[in-house]
Coordinates of all heavy atoms in Angstrom, one line a residue:
M94 N -5.2 56.6 -9.0 CA -6.6 55.9 -8.9 C -6.3 54.8 -8.0 O -5.3 53.9 -8.2 CB -7.0 55.5 -10.2 CG -8.2 54.8 -10.3 SD -8.9 54.3 -11.8 CE -9.8 55.7 -12.2
T95 N -7.2 54.6 -7.1 CA -6.9 53.3 -6.1 C -7.7 52.2 -6.8 O -8.6 52.3 -7.7 CB -7.6 53.6 -4.8 OG1 -9.0 53.7 -4.9 CG2 -7.0 54.8 -4.1
A96 N -7.4 51.1 -6.3 CA -8.1 49.8 -6.8 C -9.6 49.9 -6.6 O -10.4 49.5 -7.4 CB -7.6 48.6 -6.2
R97 N -10.1 50.7 -5.5 CA -11.4 50.7 -5.3 C -12.2 51.5 -6.4 O -13.4 51.2 -6.7 CB -11.7 51.5 -4.0 CG -13.0 51.5 -3.5 CD -13.2 52.1 -2.1 NE -12.6 51.4 -1.0 CZ -13.2 50.3 -0.4 NH1 -14.6 50.2 -0.5 NH2 -12.6 49.6 0.5
L98 N -11.5 52.4 -7.2 CA -12.1 53.2 -8.2 C -12.0 52.5 -9.6 O -12.5 53.2 -10.5 CB -11.4 54.6 -8.1 CG -11.7 55.3 -6.9 CD1 -11.0 56.7 -6.9 CD2 -13.2 55.4 -6.5
L99 N -11.4 51.3 -9.7 CA -11.3 50.8 -11.0 C -12.7 50.5 -11.5 O -13.6 50.0 -10.9 CB -10.5 49.4 -10.9 CG -9.1 49.5 -10.7 CD1 -8.4 48.2 -10.6 CD2 -8.4 50.2 -12.1
R100 N -12.9 50.7 -12.9 CA -14.0 50.3 -13.6 C -14.0 48.8 -13.7 O -12.9 48.2 -13.8 CB -14.2 50.9 -14.9 CG -14.4 52.4 -14.8 CD -14.4 53.0 -16.2 NE -13.1 52.7 -16.7 CZ -12.6 53.5 -17.7 NH1 -13.1 54.5 -18.1 NH2 -11.3 53.2 -18.1
P101 N -15.1 48.1 -13.7 CA -15.1 46.6 -13.8 C -14.4 46.0 -14.8 O -13.8 45.0 -14.7 CB -16.7 46.2 -13.7 CG -17.3 47.4 -13.1 CD -16.5 48.7 -13.5
G102 N -14.4 46.6 -16.0 CA -13.8 46.1 -17.1 C -12.2 46.3 -17.1 O -11.5 45.8 -17.8
D103 N -11.8 47.2 -16.2 CA -10.3 47.4 -16.1 C -9.6 46.7 -15.0 O -8.4 46.7 -14.7 CB -10.1 49.0 -15.8 CG -10.5 49.9 -17.1 OD1 -10.6 49.2 -18.1 OD2 -10.8 51.0 -16.8
D104 N -10.5 46.0 -14.2 CA -10.0 45.2 -13.0 C -9.3 44.0 -13.4 O -10.1 43.1 -13.8 CB -11.0 45.2 -12.0 CG -10.6 44.6 -10.6 OD1 -9.4 44.1 -10.6 OD2 -11.4 44.5 -9.7
P105 N -8.0 43.8 -13.4 CA -7.4 42.5 -13.9 C -7.7 41.3 -12.9 O -7.6 40.4 -13.3 CB -6.0 42.9 -13.8 CG -5.7 43.9 -12.9 CD -7.0 44.8 -12.9
I106 N -8.1 41.7 -11.6 CA -8.2 40.7 -10.7 C -9.8 40.1 -10.9 O -10.0 38.8 -10.7 CB -8.2 41.0 -9.2 CG1 -6.7 41.7 -9.1 CG2 -8.4 40.0 -8.3 CD1 -5.6 40.8 -9.2
R107 N -10.7 40.9 -11.2 CA -12.0 40.5 -11.3 C -12.5 41.0 -12.7 O -13.3 42.0 -12.9 CB -12.9 41.0 -10.3 CG -12.7 40.4 -8.9 CD -13.5 41.2 -7.9 NE -13.1 40.7 -6.7 CZ -14.0 40.1 -5.7 NH1 -15.2 40.0 -6.0 NH2 -13.6 39.8 -4.6
P108 N -12.2 40.2 -13.7 CA -12.6 40.6 -15.0 C -14.2 40.7 -15.1 O -14.9 39.8 -14.5 CB -12.1 39.7 -16.0 CG -11.7 38.4 -15.2 CD -11.5 39.1 -13.8
A109 N -14.7 41.5 -16.0 CA -16.3 41.5 -16.1 C -16.9 40.3 -16.7 O -17.9 39.8 -16.3 CB -16.6 42.8 -16.8
Q110 N -16.1 39.8 -17.7 CA -16.7 38.5 -18.3 C -15.9 37.4 -17.8 O -14.7 37.2 -17.9 CB -16.5 38.7 -19.8 CG -17.1 37.5 -20.6 CD -18.6 37.6 -20.6 OE1 -19.1 38.7 -20.6 NE2 -19.2 36.6 -21.0
V111 N -16.6 36.4 -17.2 CA -15.9 35.1 -16.9 C -16.7 33.9 -17.6 O -17.9 34.0 -17.7 CB -15.9 34.8 -15.3 CG1 -15.0 35.8 -14.7 CG2 -17.4 34.9 -14.9
D112 N -15.9 33.0 -18.0 CA -16.5 31.8 -18.7 C -16.8 30.8 -17.6 O -16.1 30.4 -16.8 CB -15.5 31.3 -19.7 CG -15.3 32.3 -20.7 OD1 -16.2 33.1 -21.1 OD2 -14.1 32.2 -21.3
A113 N -18.0 30.2 -17.9 CA -18.3 29.1 -16.9 C -17.7 27.8 -17.4 O -17.2 27.5 -18.4 CB -20.0 28.9 -17.0
V114 N -17.4 27.0 -16.3 CA -16.7 25.6 -16.4 C -17.8 24.7 -15.8 O -18.2 25.0 -14.6 CB -15.4 25.6 -15.8 CG1 -14.9 24.2 -15.8 CG2 -14.5 26.7 -16.5
E115 N -17.8 23.4 -16.3 CA -18.7 22.5 -15.9 C -17.9 21.3 -15.7 O -17.4 20.9 -16.8 CB -20.0 22.3 -16.7 CG -21.1 21.5 -15.9 CD -22.3 21.4 -16.7 OE1 -23.1 22.4 -16.6 OE2 -22.6 20.5 -17.5
I116 N -17.9 20.6 -14.5 CA -17.1 19.3 -14.4 C -18.1 18.4 -13.7 O -19.1 18.7 -13.2 CB -15.8 19.6 -13.5 CG1 -16.1 19.8 -12.0 CG2 -14.8 20.5 -14.2 CD1 -14.9 19.9 -11.0
T117 N -17.7 17.0 -13.6 CA -18.4 16.2 -12.9 C -17.4 15.5 -12.0 O -16.2 15.2 -12.2 CB -19.0 15.1 -13.8 OG1 -17.9 14.3 -14.5 CG2 -20.1 15.6 -14.7
L118 N -18.0 15.3 -10.7 CA -17.2 14.5 -9.7 C -18.0 13.2 -9.4 O -19.1 13.3 -8.9 CB -17.0 15.3 -8.4 CG -16.4 14.4 -7.3 CD1 -15.0 14.0 -7.5 CD2 -16.3 15.3 -6.1
D119 N -17.5 12.1 -9.7 CA -18.2 10.7 -9.6 C -19.6 11.0 -10.2 O -20.5 10.4 -9.7 CB -18.2 10.4 -8.2 CG -16.9 10.0 -7.6 OD1 -16.0 9.7 -8.4 OD2 -16.6 10.3 -6.4
G120 N -19.7 11.5 -11.4 CA -21.0 11.7 -12.0 C -21.8 12.9 -11.6 O -22.9 13.1 -12.3
E121 N -21.5 13.6 -10.6 CA -22.3 14.7 -10.1 C -21.8 16.0 -10.8 O -20.7 16.3 -10.7 CB -22.2 14.8 -8.7 CG -23.1 15.9 -8.1 CD -23.0 16.0 -6.6 OE1 -22.5 15.0 -5.9 OE2 -23.3 17.1 -6.1
T122 N -22.7 16.6 -11.4 CA -22.3 17.9 -12.1 C -22.1 19.0 -11.2 O -22.8 19.2 -10.3 CB -23.2 18.3 -13.2 OG1 -23.4 17.2 -14.0 CG2 -22.9 19.6 -13.9
M123 N -20.9 19.8 -11.4 CA -20.5 20.8 -10.5 C -20.1 22.0 -11.4 O -19.4 21.8 -12.5 CB -19.4 20.6 -9.6 CG -19.8 19.4 -8.7 SD -18.4 18.8 -7.6 CE -19.2 17.8 -6.5
R124 N -20.4 23.2 -11.1 CA -20.2 24.3 -12.0 C -19.3 25.4 -11.3 O -19.5 25.6 -10.0 CB -21.5 25.1 -12.3 CG -22.4 24.3 -13.3 CD -23.7 24.9 -13.6 NE -24.4 24.1 -14.4 CZ -25.0 22.9 -14.0 NH1 -25.2 22.7 -12.6 NH2 -25.8 22.1 -14.8
G125 N -18.4 26.0 -12.0 CA -17.4 27.0 -11.6 C -17.2 28.1 -12.6 O -18.0 28.1 -13.6
V126 N -16.1 28.7 -12.5 CA -15.7 29.6 -13.6 C -14.3 29.4 -13.9 O -13.4 28.7 -13.2 CB -15.8 31.1 -13.0 CG1 -17.2 31.5 -12.7 CG2 -14.9 31.3 -11.7
Q127 N -14.0 29.8 -15.2 CA -12.6 29.5 -15.8 C -11.6 30.0 -14.7 O -11.6 31.1 -14.3 CB -12.5 30.1 -17.2 CG -11.2 29.5 -17.8 CD -11.4 29.9 -19.3 OE1 -11.9 31.1 -19.6 NE2 -10.9 29.1 -20.2
G128 N -10.5 29.3 -14.5 CA -9.5 29.7 -13.7 C -9.4 29.1 -12.3 O -8.5 29.0 -11.6
Q129 N -10.7 28.7 -11.9 CA -10.7 27.8 -10.6 C -10.1 26.5 -10.7 O -10.0 25.9 -11.7 CB -12.2 27.6 -10.3 CG -12.9 28.8 -9.5 CD -14.3 28.3 -9.0 OE1 -15.1 28.0 -9.8 NE2 -14.4 28.4 -7.8
T130 N -9.6 26.0 -9.6 CA -8.9 24.6 -9.4 C -10.2 23.7 -9.3 O -11.3 24.1 -9.0 CB -8.0 24.5 -8.3 OG1 -8.7 24.8 -7.1 CG2 -6.9 25.4 -8.5
I131 N -9.9 22.5 -9.7 CA -10.9 21.4 -9.3 C -11.3 21.5 -7.9 O -12.6 21.4 -7.6 CB -10.4 20.1 -9.9 CG1 -10.2 20.0 -11.3 CG2 -11.2 18.9 -9.2 CD1 -9.5 18.7 -11.8
A132 N -10.4 21.5 -7.1 CA -10.7 21.6 -5.6 C -11.6 22.8 -5.3 O -12.5 22.7 -4.5 CB -9.5 21.6 -4.8
G133 N -11.4 23.8 -5.9 CA -12.1 25.1 -5.7 C -13.6 24.8 -6.1 O -14.6 25.3 -5.3
I134 N -13.8 24.2 -7.2 CA -15.1 24.1 -7.7 C -15.9 22.9 -6.8 O -16.9 23.1 -6.4 CB -15.1 23.4 -9.2 CG1 -14.6 24.6 -10.0 CG2 -16.5 22.9 -9.6 CD1 -14.5 24.3 -11.5
V135 N -15.2 21.9 -6.3 CA -15.7 20.9 -5.6 C -16.1 21.6 -4.2 O -17.3 21.3 -3.7 CB -14.8 19.7 -5.5 CG1 -15.3 18.7 -4.3 CG2 -14.6 19.1 -6.8
L136 N -15.3 22.3 -3.6 CA -15.6 22.9 -2.3 C -16.7 23.9 -2.4 O -17.5 23.9 -1.5 CB -14.3 23.6 -1.8 CG -13.2 22.8 -1.2 CD1 -11.9 23.6 -0.9 CD2 -13.6 22.0 0.0
A137 N -16.7 24.6 -3.4 CA -17.8 25.6 -3.6 C -19.1 24.9 -3.9 O -20.2 25.5 -3.6 CB -17.5 26.6 -4.8
S138 N -18.9 23.6 -4.3 CA -20.4 22.9 -4.5 C -20.7 22.2 -3.2 O -21.7 21.4 -3.1 CB -20.1 21.8 -5.6 OG -19.8 22.4 -6.8
G139 N -19.9 22.4 -2.1 CA -20.4 21.9 -0.8 C -19.8 20.5 -0.4 O -20.2 19.9 0.6
V140 N -18.9 20.1 -1.2 CA -18.2 18.8 -1.0 C -17.0 19.0 -0.2 O -16.1 19.7 -0.9 CB -18.0 17.9 -2.3 CG1 -17.3 16.5 -1.9 CG2 -19.4 17.7 -2.9
L141 N -16.8 18.6 1.0 CA -15.7 18.8 1.8 C -14.6 17.6 1.7 O -13.4 17.9 2.0 CB -16.0 19.1 3.1 CG -16.9 20.2 3.5 CD1 -17.2 20.5 4.9 CD2 -16.4 21.5 2.8
S142 N -14.9 16.3 1.4 CA -14.0 15.4 1.3 C -14.4 14.5 0.1 O -15.6 14.5 -0.2 CB -14.0 14.5 2.5 OG -15.2 13.9 2.8
W143 N -13.4 14.1 -0.7 CA -13.7 13.3 -1.9 C -12.8 12.0 -1.9 O -12.8 11.3 -2.9 CB -13.5 14.2 -3.0 CG -12.3 15.0 -3.1 CD1 -11.1 14.5 -3.6 CD2 -12.2 16.3 -2.8 NE1 -10.2 15.6 -3.5 CE2 -10.8 16.6 -3.0 CE3 -13.0 17.2 -2.1 CZ2 -10.3 17.8 -2.8 CZ3 -12.4 18.6 -1.9 CH2 -11.2 18.8 -2.2
R144 N -12.0 11.7 -0.9 CA -11.3 10.4 -0.9 C -11.1 10.0 0.4 O -11.4 10.7 1.5 CB -9.9 10.5 -1.6 CG -8.8 11.2 -0.9 CD -7.5 11.1 -1.6 NE -6.5 11.4 -0.6 CZ -5.7 10.7 0.1 NH1 -6.0 9.4 0.1 NH2 -4.9 11.1 0.9
R145 N -10.6 8.7 0.7 CA -10.5 8.0 1.9 C -9.0 7.5 2.1 O -8.5 7.2 1.1 CB -11.5 6.9 2.2 CG -12.9 7.3 2.0 CD -13.6 6.9 3.3 NE -14.9 7.7 3.3 CZ -15.4 8.2 4.4 NH1 -14.7 8.1 5.6 NH2 -16.6 8.8 4.4
T146 N -8.5 7.6 3.3 CA -7.2 7.2 3.5 C -7.1 5.6 3.3 O -8.0 5.0 3.6 CB -6.6 7.5 5.0 OG1 -7.6 6.7 6.0 CG2 -6.6 9.0 5.1
S147 N -5.8 5.2 2.9 CA -5.8 3.8 2.7 C -5.7 2.9 4.0 O -6.1 1.8 3.9 CB -4.4 3.5 1.9 OG -3.5 4.4 2.1
V148 N -5.3 3.5 5.0 CA -5.3 2.5 6.3 C -6.5 2.6 7.0 O -7.2 1.5 7.2 CB -4.1 3.1 7.2 CG1 -4.1 2.3 8.5 CG2 -2.8 3.0 6.5
D149 N -7.0 3.8 7.5 CA -8.2 3.8 8.3 C -9.5 4.2 7.7 O -10.7 4.2 8.1 CB -8.0 4.8 9.3 CG -6.8 4.5 10.2 OD1 -6.6 3.3 10.3 OD2 -6.2 5.4 10.8
G150 N -9.4 4.6 6.2 CA -10.6 5.0 5.5 C -11.1 6.3 6.0 O -12.4 6.5 5.9
R151 N -10.3 7.1 6.5 CA -10.7 8.5 7.0 C -10.9 9.4 5.8 O -10.2 9.4 4.8 CB -9.8 9.1 7.9 CG -9.6 8.3 9.2 CD -8.6 8.8 10.2 NE -8.5 7.9 11.3 CZ -8.6 8.3 12.5 NH1 -8.8 9.6 12.9 NH2 -8.6 7.5 13.6
P152 N -11.9 10.4 5.9 CA -12.1 11.3 4.8 C -11.0 12.2 4.6 O -10.5 12.8 5.5 CB -13.5 11.9 5.2 CG -13.5 11.8 6.7 CD -12.8 10.6 7.0
R153 N -10.7 12.6 3.4 CA -9.8 13.6 2.9 C -10.1 14.4 1.8 O -11.0 14.0 1.1 CB -8.4 12.9 2.6 CG -7.6 12.3 3.7 CD -7.1 13.2 4.7 NE -6.3 12.6 5.7 CZ -6.7 12.2 6.9 NH1 -8.0 12.3 7.2 NH2 -5.7 11.7 7.8
G154 N -9.8 15.6 2.0 CA -10.1 16.6 0.7 C -9.1 17.6 0.7 O -7.9 17.1 0.3
L155 N -9.4 18.9 0.9 CA -8.2 19.9 0.9 C -7.7 20.1 2.2 O -8.3 20.1 3.3 CB -8.9 21.2 0.4 CG -8.0 22.2 -0.1 CD1 -7.4 21.9 -1.5 CD2 -8.6 23.6 -0.1
F156 N -6.3 19.9 2.2 CA -5.5 20.2 3.5 C -4.7 21.3 3.4 O -4.9 22.3 4.0 CB -4.8 18.9 4.0 CG -4.2 19.2 5.3 CD1 -4.9 19.2 6.5 CD2 -2.7 19.0 5.3 CE1 -4.4 19.5 7.7 CE2 -2.1 19.3 6.6 CZ -2.9 19.4 7.7
C157 N -3.5 21.2 2.6 CA -2.6 22.4 2.5 C -3.1 23.4 1.3 O -3.0 24.6 1.6 CB -1.3 21.9 2.1 SG -1.1 21.3 0.4
G158 N -3.8 22.8 0.3 CA -4.3 23.8 -0.7 C -3.1 24.3 -1.7 O -3.3 25.2 -2.5
I159 N -1.8 23.9 -1.4 CA -0.7 24.5 -2.2 C 0.1 23.3 -2.8 O 1.3 23.6 -3.2 CB 0.2 25.3 -1.3 CG1 0.7 24.5 -0.2 CG2 -0.6 26.6 -0.8 CD1 1.8 25.3 0.7
G160 N -0.4 22.1 -2.9 CA 0.3 21.1 -3.6 C 1.4 20.4 -2.9 O 2.1 19.6 -3.5
V161 N 1.3 20.4 -1.6 CA 2.4 19.8 -0.8 C 1.9 18.4 -0.1 O 2.7 17.5 -0.1 CB 2.9 20.7 0.4 CG1 3.8 20.1 1.2 CG2 3.5 22.0 -0.3
C162 N 0.7 18.4 0.4 CA 0.3 17.3 1.2 C -0.3 16.1 0.4 O -0.3 14.9 1.0 CB -0.6 17.6 2.2 SG -2.3 18.0 1.5
F163 N -0.8 16.2 -0.8 CA -1.3 15.2 -1.6 C -2.4 14.5 -1.0 O -2.9 13.5 -1.4 CB -0.2 14.1 -1.9 CG 0.9 14.5 -2.8 CD1 1.9 15.3 -2.4 CD2 0.9 14.1 -4.2 CE1 2.8 15.8 -3.2 CE2 1.8 14.5 -5.0 CZ 2.8 15.4 -4.7
D164 N -3.2 15.2 -0.1 CA -4.4 14.8 0.4 C -5.6 14.8 -0.6 O -6.6 14.1 -0.4 CB -4.8 15.6 1.8 CG -4.4 14.9 2.9 OD1 -3.9 13.8 2.9 OD2 -4.8 15.4 4.1
C165 N -5.5 15.8 -1.6 CA -6.5 16.0 -2.4 C -6.5 15.2 -3.9 O -7.2 15.6 -4.8 CB -6.6 17.5 -2.9 SG -5.0 18.0 -3.7
L166 N -5.9 14.1 -3.9 CA -5.6 13.3 -5.0 C -7.1 12.8 -5.6 O -8.0 12.4 -5.0 CB -4.8 12.1 -4.8 CG -3.4 12.4 -4.6 CD1 -2.7 11.1 -4.4 CD2 -2.7 13.2 -5.6
V167 N -7.2 13.0 -7.0 CA -8.2 12.6 -7.6 C -7.9 12.0 -9.0 O -6.7 12.1 -9.5 CB -9.2 13.8 -8.0 CG1 -10.0 14.3 -6.7 CG2 -8.5 14.9 -8.7
I168 N -8.8 11.4 -9.7 CA -8.6 11.0 -11.1 C -9.3 11.8 -12.1 O -10.5 12.1 -11.9 CB -9.1 9.5 -11.4 CG1 -8.4 8.5 -10.3 CG2 -8.9 8.9 -12.7 CD1 -9.1 7.1 -10.2
V169 N -8.5 12.5 -13.1 CA -9.1 13.4 -14.0 C -9.0 12.9 -15.3 O -7.9 12.6 -15.9 CB -8.4 14.9 -13.9 CG1 -9.0 15.8 -14.7 CG2 -8.4 15.3 -12.4
N170 N -10.1 12.7 -15.9 CA -10.1 12.1 -17.4 C -9.3 10.9 -17.5 O -8.6 10.7 -18.5 CB -9.7 13.2 -18.3 CG -10.6 14.4 -18.3 OD1 -11.8 14.4 -18.0 ND2 -10.0 15.6 -18.4
G171 N -9.4 10.0 -16.5 CA -8.5 8.8 -16.5 C -7.1 8.9 -16.0 O -6.5 7.8 -15.8
E172 N -6.6 10.2 -15.7 CA -5.2 10.2 -15.2 C -5.3 10.3 -13.6 O -5.9 11.2 -13.1 CB -4.7 11.6 -15.7 CG -3.3 12.0 -15.2 CD -2.9 13.4 -15.6 OE1 -3.6 14.1 -16.3 OE2 -1.8 13.6 -15.3
R173 N -4.6 9.3 -13.1 CA -4.6 9.2 -11.6 C -3.6 10.2 -11.0 O -2.7 10.8 -11.6 CB -4.0 7.7 -11.2 CG -5.0 6.6 -11.7 CD -4.5 5.3 -11.4 NE -3.8 5.2 -9.9 CZ -4.8 5.1 -9.0 NH1 -5.9 4.8 -9.2 NH2 -4.2 5.0 -7.7
D174 N -3.8 10.3 -9.7 CA -2.9 11.1 -8.8 C -2.8 12.5 -9.2 O -1.6 13.2 -9.2 CB -1.4 10.3 -8.8 CG -1.4 9.0 -8.3 OD1 -2.3 8.6 -7.6 OD2 -0.6 8.3 -8.9
V175 N -3.8 13.1 -9.5 CA -3.9 14.5 -9.9 C -4.2 15.2 -8.6 O -5.2 14.9 -7.9 CB -4.9 14.8 -11.0 CG1 -5.1 16.4 -11.1 CG2 -4.5 14.3 -12.2
R176 N -3.4 16.3 -8.2 CA -3.8 17.1 -7.1 C -4.8 18.1 -7.4 O -4.6 18.9 -8.3 CB -2.5 17.8 -6.6 CG -1.5 16.8 -6.0 CD -0.2 17.5 -5.6 NE 0.5 17.8 -7.1 CZ 1.6 18.6 -7.1 NH1 2.2 19.1 -6.0 NH2 2.1 18.8 -8.3
A177 N -6.0 17.9 -6.9 CA -7.1 18.9 -7.2 C -6.9 20.2 -6.8 O -7.4 21.2 -7.5 CB -8.2 18.3 -6.5
C178 N -6.0 20.6 -6.0 CA -5.7 22.0 -5.6 C -4.9 22.6 -6.6 O -4.6 23.8 -6.6 CB -5.2 22.0 -4.1 SG -3.5 21.4 -4.0
Q179 N -4.1 21.8 -7.4 CA -3.2 22.4 -8.3 C -3.8 22.4 -9.8 O -3.1 23.2 -10.6 CB -1.8 21.6 -8.3 CG -1.2 21.7 -7.0 CD -0.9 23.2 -6.6 OE1 0.0 23.7 -7.4 NE2 -1.4 23.7 -5.7
R180 N -4.7 21.6 -10.1 CA -5.2 21.5 -11.5 C -6.3 22.3 -11.7 O -7.4 22.4 -11.1 CB -5.7 19.9 -11.8 CG -6.3 19.7 -13.2 CD -5.3 19.8 -14.3 NE -4.2 18.7 -14.3 CZ -4.5 17.5 -14.8 NH1 -5.6 17.3 -15.5 NH2 -3.5 16.6 -14.7
R181 N -6.2 23.3 -12.7 CA -7.3 24.2 -13.1 C -8.2 23.3 -13.8 O -7.9 22.6 -14.8 CB -6.7 25.4 -14.0 CG -6.0 26.3 -13.1 CD -5.6 27.5 -14.0 NE -4.5 28.3 -13.4 CZ -4.7 29.2 -12.7 NH1 -6.1 29.7 -12.3 NH2 -3.8 30.0 -12.1
A182 N -9.5 23.5 -13.5 CA -10.6 22.8 -14.2 C -10.8 23.3 -15.7 O -10.6 24.4 -15.9 CB -11.9 23.1 -13.4
V183 N -11.0 22.3 -16.5 CA -11.4 22.5 -17.8 C -12.7 22.1 -18.1 O -13.2 21.0 -17.5 CB -10.3 21.8 -18.7 CG1 -10.7 21.9 -20.2 CG2 -8.9 22.3 -18.5
D184 N -13.4 22.8 -18.9 CA -14.9 22.5 -19.1 C -15.0 21.0 -19.6 O -14.3 20.6 -20.5 CB -15.4 23.4 -20.2 CG -17.0 23.2 -20.1 OD1 -17.6 23.2 -19.1 OD2 -17.5 23.4 -21.2
G185 N -15.9 20.3 -19.0 CA -16.1 18.8 -19.4 C -15.2 17.8 -18.6 O -15.3 16.6 -18.9
D186 N -14.3 18.2 -17.8 CA -13.5 17.4 -16.9 C -14.3 16.4 -16.3 O -15.3 16.8 -15.5 CB -12.6 18.1 -15.9 CG -11.3 18.6 -16.6 OD1 -10.8 18.2 -17.7 OD2 -10.6 19.4 -15.8
A187 N -13.9 15.1 -16.4 CA -14.6 14.1 -15.6 C -13.7 13.6 -14.5 O -12.6 13.0 -14.6 CB -14.9 12.9 -16.5
V188 N -14.1 14.0 -13.3 CA -13.1 13.7 -12.1 C -13.7 12.6 -11.4 O -15.0 12.6 -11.3 CB -13.3 15.1 -11.2 CG1 -12.3 14.9 -10.0 CG2 -12.7 16.2 -12.0
A189 N -13.0 11.7 -10.8 CA -13.4 10.6 -10.1 C -12.6 10.6 -8.7 O -11.4 10.9 -8.8 CB -13.1 9.2 -10.8
S190 N -13.3 10.1 -7.6 CA -12.5 10.2 -6.4 C -11.6 8.9 -6.5 O -11.7 7.9 -7.2 CB -13.4 10.1 -5.1 OG -14.4 8.9 -5.5
Q191 N -10.5 8.9 -5.7 CA -9.5 8.0 -5.9 C -9.2 7.4 -4.4 O -8.8 8.1 -3.6 CB -8.2 8.6 -6.3 CG -7.0 7.7 -6.4 CD -5.7 8.3 -7.0 OE1 -5.9 9.2 -7.9 NE2 -4.6 8.0 -6.6
H192 N -9.6 6.0 -4.4 CA -9.5 5.4 -3.1 C -8.5 4.2 -3.3 O -8.7 3.3 -4.0 CB -10.8 4.8 -2.7 CG -12.0 5.7 -2.5 ND1 -12.1 6.8 -1.7 CD2 -12.9 6.0 -3.4 CE1 -13.1 7.5 -1.8 NE2 -13.6 7.0 -2.9
D193 N -7.3 4.3 -2.7 CA -6.3 3.4 -2.9 C -6.2 2.6 -1.5 O -6.4 3.0 -0.5 CB -5.1 4.0 -3.2 CG -4.9 4.6 -4.5 OD1 -5.6 4.1 -5.5 OD2 -4.3 5.7 -4.6
R194 N -5.8 1.3 -1.8 CA -5.5 0.4 -0.7 C -4.0 0.1 -0.6 O -3.3 0.1 -1.6 CB -6.3 -0.9 -0.7 CG -7.8 -0.8 -0.7 CD -8.3 -2.1 -0.7 NE -9.8 -2.0 -0.5 CZ -10.4 -2.0 0.7 NH1 -9.7 -1.8 1.8 NH2 -11.7 -1.9 0.8
L195 N -3.5 -0.1 0.6 CA -2.1 -0.5 0.7 C -1.9 -1.8 0.1 O -2.8 -2.6 0.0 CB -1.7 -0.6 2.1 CG -1.7 0.9 2.9 CD1 -1.4 0.6 4.4 CD2 -0.7 1.7 2.3
P196 N -0.7 -2.0 -0.5 CA -0.4 -3.3 -1.2 C -0.4 -4.4 -0.1 O 0.0 -4.2 1.0 CB 0.9 -3.1 -1.8 CG 1.4 -1.8 -1.3 CD 0.4 -1.0 -0.8
E197 N -0.8 -5.5 -0.3 CA -0.8 -6.6 0.4 C 0.6 -7.0 0.8 O 1.6 -7.0 -0.1 CB -1.4 -7.9 -0.2 CG -2.9 -7.7 -0.5 CD -3.9 -7.6 0.8 OE1 -3.3 -8.3 1.9 OE2 -4.6 -6.8 0.9
A198 N 0.9 -7.3 2.1 CA 2.3 -7.8 2.4 C 2.6 -9.1 1.9 O 1.8 -10.1 2.0 CB 2.4 -7.8 3.9
S199 N 3.7 -9.3 1.3 CA 4.0 -10.5 0.8 C 4.8 -11.4 1.8 O 5.5 -10.8 2.7 CB 5.0 -10.4 -0.5 OG 6.2 -9.7 -0.1
A200 N 4.5 -12.7 1.8 CA 5.1 -13.6 2.7 C 6.5 -13.9 2.5 O 7.0 -13.9 1.4 CB 4.3 -14.8 2.9
Ligands
FES644 S1 -4.5 19.9 -0.6 FE1 -2.4 19.5 -0.2 S2 -1.7 18.9 -2.2 FE2 -3.7 19.5 -2.6

């Protein structure tokens, strides 16, 4: 039997029943399904960038998507420096964008 002939309930990749997940990004509610990363839900909601660089204030969001570049940092339930591309969303997660400034140079 090929994958094309699998019944929906037997398909391990696309289970018939998926649980909905609801998160907020800076207070805006976004919906996804269980198993999606925070970045996946945010992107699917049409938001392409959610933080700014510390030097030039340029927009950043998903770049590598595999946990290497740290461009996607967010605050999740008060925990800073969370990579949105690596954290699976949990229903009720409160996500906040994270804008950091470089430390002031000491004299
Ligand atoms: S997009 Fe590169 S670490 Fe998340």
